[in-house]
Amino acid sequence: MTLLYRILAALGFFTRLPFWRIANVPKEYFERVVPLWPLAGWLTGGVMALVFWLCSYILPLNICLIAAILSRVLLTGALHEDGFADFCDGFGGGGTRERTLQIMKDSHIGTYGVLGLILYYLSLYAVLNAILEVELSHAIFSCFTLNDKYFPVFIPILFVSADSFSKWSSSNIINVLPYARTEESAKNKLVYSKMTATEQIVGMLLGFLPSLLLLDMRYYLAIAFSFLATLILIRYMFKKIQGYNGF
């Protein structure tokens, strides 16, 4: 039951699906949910992969990319986008630690948040479309024929692996940085517990397993670069607000 509660807490936090109908999860299970964040990435990335595959029967593949991205926004309730916009506003407009935290707690979106989201989606679509073009150019290795056109099987795998790995990367922030606020001032009145050694191993396995299907050194190098970017971000967050602000 403990494991079930923690899984439901992870899936319920990251999605709008009614997992609360299965069981009423006590608060303490949300506090220890971090190691299972990558498992939520399996679900959100899997939905993106499914939407991309279904849309590919009737739509051009570049439109399928947009549909897949939109499905994630709807599934998560724009949770990630809201946090990213808060980060851009706070770290872009806050000159001091106190001012940065104050801006990030404000539910209104500012100029930095708007610009951040625009650049984020432009970059996301541009990168995915570039990968799509590369995979189609090597169709004999990475695609199969679907309705007389090539379907890149690599893209759905990428959705799942990227989502799970990114959630594992962000989970490491919990163990490295302290919470920048108090529990009473937190948006969800919750402070996550640091992971044990066993939990770190479980989280790492859940985050990395889908990536084993990529079978391409270029993308393993991209994974290494993204983890390096996470470490740089952690250092920047510590310098700016001496901790993390929540998720």
mmCIF file of all heavy atoms in Angstrom, residues 161-178:
data_model
loop_
_atom_site.group_PDB
_atom_site.id
_atom_site.type_symbol
_atom_site.label_atom_id
_atom_site.label_comp_id
_atom_site.label_asym_id
_atom_site.label_seq_id
_atom_site.Cartn_x
_atom_site.Cartn_y
_atom_site.Cartn_z
ATOM 1 N N SER A 161 11.825 8.995 -23.025
ATOM 2 C CA SER A 161 13.147 9.062 -22.398
ATOM 3 C C SER A 161 13.468 10.476 -21.915
ATOM 4 O O SER A 161 14.009 10.656 -20.815
ATOM 5 C CB SER A 161 14.222 8.586 -23.381
ATOM 6 O OG SER A 161 14.258 9.402 -24.541
ATOM 7 N N ALA A 162 13.125 11.484 -22.703
ATOM 8 C CA ALA A 162 13.415 12.865 -22.315
ATOM 9 C C ALA A 162 12.600 13.290 -21.109
ATOM 10 O O ALA A 162 13.112 13.957 -20.194
ATOM 11 C CB ALA A 162 13.162 13.805 -23.487
ATOM 12 N N ASP A 163 11.324 12.896 -21.079
ATOM 13 C CA ASP A 163 10.457 13.298 -19.966
ATOM 14 C C ASP A 163 10.896 12.639 -18.670
ATOM 15 O O ASP A 163 10.956 13.281 -17.608
ATOM 16 C CB ASP A 163 9.004 12.937 -20.275
ATOM 17 C CG ASP A 163 8.032 13.958 -19.696
ATOM 18 O OD1 ASP A 163 8.384 14.610 -18.698
ATOM 19 O OD2 ASP A 163 6.922 14.109 -20.224
ATOM 20 N N SER A 164 11.201 11.361 -18.712
ATOM 21 C CA SER A 164 11.615 10.660 -17.491
ATOM 22 C C SER A 164 12.989 11.125 -17.015
ATOM 23 O O SER A 164 13.214 11.310 -15.814
ATOM 24 C CB SER A 164 11.613 9.144 -17.723
ATOM 25 O OG SER A 164 12.472 8.791 -18.787
ATOM 26 N N PHE A 165 13.910 11.348 -17.968
ATOM 27 C CA PHE A 165 15.252 11.780 -17.571
ATOM 28 C C PHE A 165 15.234 13.187 -16.994
ATOM 29 O O PHE A 165 15.935 13.477 -16.016
ATOM 30 C CB PHE A 165 16.198 11.739 -18.772
ATOM 31 C CG PHE A 165 17.597 12.185 -18.424
ATOM 32 C CD1 PHE A 165 18.489 11.312 -17.812
ATOM 33 C CD2 PHE A 165 18.025 13.480 -18.684
ATOM 34 C CE1 PHE A 165 19.766 11.719 -17.473
ATOM 35 C CE2 PHE A 165 19.290 13.894 -18.342
ATOM 36 C CZ PHE A 165 20.170 13.017 -17.739
ATOM 37 N N SER A 166 14.435 14.074 -17.578
ATOM 38 C CA SER A 166 14.392 15.449 -17.078
ATOM 39 C C SER A 166 13.812 15.501 -15.670
ATOM 40 O O SER A 166 14.260 16.302 -14.832
ATOM 41 C CB SER A 166 13.568 16.335 -18.022
ATOM 42 O OG SER A 166 12.220 15.892 -18.094
ATOM 43 N N LYS A 167 12.834 14.644 -15.389
ATOM 44 C CA LYS A 167 12.275 14.608 -14.038
ATOM 45 C C LYS A 167 13.284 14.032 -13.045
ATOM 46 O O LYS A 167 13.350 14.456 -11.891
ATOM 47 C CB LYS A 167 10.973 13.803 -14.025
ATOM 48 C CG LYS A 167 9.787 14.572 -14.628
ATOM 49 C CD LYS A 167 8.513 13.779 -14.557
ATOM 50 C CE LYS A 167 7.300 14.639 -14.947
ATOM 51 N NZ LYS A 167 7.387 15.202 -16.298
ATOM 52 N N TRP A 168 14.069 13.057 -13.491
ATOM 53 C CA TRP A 168 15.130 12.546 -12.608
ATOM 54 C C TRP A 168 16.180 13.631 -12.354
ATOM 55 O O TRP A 168 16.632 13.799 -11.218
ATOM 56 C CB TRP A 168 15.812 11.322 -13.216
ATOM 57 C CG TRP A 168 17.007 10.914 -12.405
ATOM 58 C CD1 TRP A 168 17.002 10.245 -11.206
ATOM 59 C CD2 TRP A 168 18.376 11.187 -12.700
ATOM 60 N NE1 TRP A 168 18.294 10.095 -10.741
ATOM 61 C CE2 TRP A 168 19.150 10.662 -11.640
ATOM 62 C CE3 TRP A 168 19.024 11.834 -13.754
ATOM 63 C CZ2 TRP A 168 20.539 10.753 -11.610
ATOM 64 C CZ3 TRP A 168 20.407 11.925 -13.727
ATOM 65 C CH2 TRP A 168 21.151 11.388 -12.669
ATOM 66 N N SER A 169 16.563 14.362 -13.389
ATOM 67 C CA SER A 169 17.554 15.425 -13.225
ATOM 68 C C SER A 169 17.092 16.460 -12.206
ATOM 69 O O SER A 169 17.841 16.858 -11.307
ATOM 70 C CB SER A 169 17.832 16.111 -14.571
ATOM 71 O OG SER A 169 18.445 15.231 -15.476
ATOM 72 N N SER A 170 15.840 16.887 -12.323
ATOM 73 C CA SER A 170 15.325 17.898 -11.407
ATOM 74 C C SER A 170 15.173 17.358 -9.996
ATOM 75 O O SER A 170 15.260 18.116 -9.022
ATOM 76 C CB SER A 170 13.983 18.443 -11.913
ATOM 77 O OG SER A 170 13.011 17.422 -11.967
ATOM 78 N N SER A 171 14.968 16.050 -9.864
ATOM 79 C CA SER A 171 14.819 15.474 -8.529
ATOM 80 C C SER A 171 16.097 15.596 -7.713
ATOM 81 O O SER A 171 16.057 15.620 -6.471
ATOM 82 C CB SER A 171 14.395 14.000 -8.632
ATOM 83 O OG SER A 171 15.466 13.177 -9.065
ATOM 84 N N ASN A 172 17.245 15.682 -8.379
ATOM 85 C CA ASN A 172 18.515 15.792 -7.667
ATOM 86 C C ASN A 172 18.656 17.119 -6.931
ATOM 87 O O ASN A 172 19.453 17.232 -5.993
ATOM 88 C CB ASN A 172 19.686 15.615 -8.645
ATOM 89 C CG ASN A 172 19.841 14.185 -9.099
ATOM 90 O OD1 ASN A 172 20.437 13.361 -8.426
ATOM 91 N ND2 ASN A 172 19.288 13.868 -10.254
ATOM 92 N N ILE A 173 17.894 18.116 -7.366
ATOM 93 C CA ILE A 173 17.945 19.412 -6.698
ATOM 94 C C ILE A 173 17.545 19.275 -5.235
ATOM 95 O O ILE A 173 18.080 19.955 -4.357
ATOM 96 C CB ILE A 173 17.026 20.418 -7.422
ATOM 97 C CG1 ILE A 173 17.505 20.639 -8.858
ATOM 98 C CG2 ILE A 173 16.947 21.743 -6.671
ATOM 99 C CD1 ILE A 173 16.600 21.536 -9.684
ATOM 100 N N ILE A 174 16.599 18.375 -4.957
ATOM 101 C CA ILE A 174 16.112 18.175 -3.598
ATOM 102 C C ILE A 174 17.236 17.763 -2.653
ATOM 103 O O ILE A 174 17.287 18.185 -1.500
ATOM 104 C CB ILE A 174 14.996 17.102 -3.578
ATOM 105 C CG1 ILE A 174 13.864 17.480 -4.525
ATOM 106 C CG2 ILE A 174 14.470 16.894 -2.171
ATOM 107 C CD1 ILE A 174 13.163 18.751 -4.161
ATOM 108 N N ASN A 175 18.130 16.901 -3.147
ATOM 109 C CA ASN A 175 19.203 16.392 -2.290
ATOM 110 C C ASN A 175 20.371 17.347 -2.155
ATOM 111 O O ASN A 175 21.138 17.255 -1.201
ATOM 112 C CB ASN A 175 19.705 15.047 -2.834
ATOM 113 C CG ASN A 175 19.020 13.871 -2.172
ATOM 114 O OD1 ASN A 175 17.845 13.953 -1.813
ATOM 115 N ND2 ASN A 175 19.728 12.778 -1.995
ATOM 116 N N VAL A 176 20.515 18.255 -3.114
ATOM 117 C CA VAL A 176 21.683 19.136 -3.126
ATOM 118 C C VAL A 176 21.397 20.464 -2.443
ATOM 119 O O VAL A 176 22.259 20.993 -1.725
ATOM 120 C CB VAL A 176 22.152 19.381 -4.575
ATOM 121 C CG1 VAL A 176 23.325 20.349 -4.603
ATOM 122 C CG2 VAL A 176 22.543 18.058 -5.228
ATOM 123 N N LEU A 177 20.203 21.006 -2.642
ATOM 124 C CA LEU A 177 19.867 22.325 -2.117
ATOM 125 C C LEU A 177 18.816 22.235 -1.015
ATOM 126 O O LEU A 177 17.954 21.362 -1.044
ATOM 127 C CB LEU A 177 19.331 23.224 -3.239
ATOM 128 C CG LEU A 177 20.294 23.592 -4.368
ATOM 129 C CD1 LEU A 177 19.574 24.447 -5.399
ATOM 130 C CD2 LEU A 177 21.519 24.309 -3.844
ATOM 131 N N PRO A 178 18.849 23.151 -0.068
ATOM 132 C CA PRO A 178 17.774 23.235 0.929
ATOM 133 C C PRO A 178 16.579 23.964 0.332
ATOM 134 O O PRO A 178 16.708 24.642 -0.695
ATOM 135 C CB PRO A 178 18.415 24.052 2.053
ATOM 136 C CG PRO A 178 19.383 24.948 1.341
ATOM 137 C CD PRO A 178 19.940 24.123 0.197
#
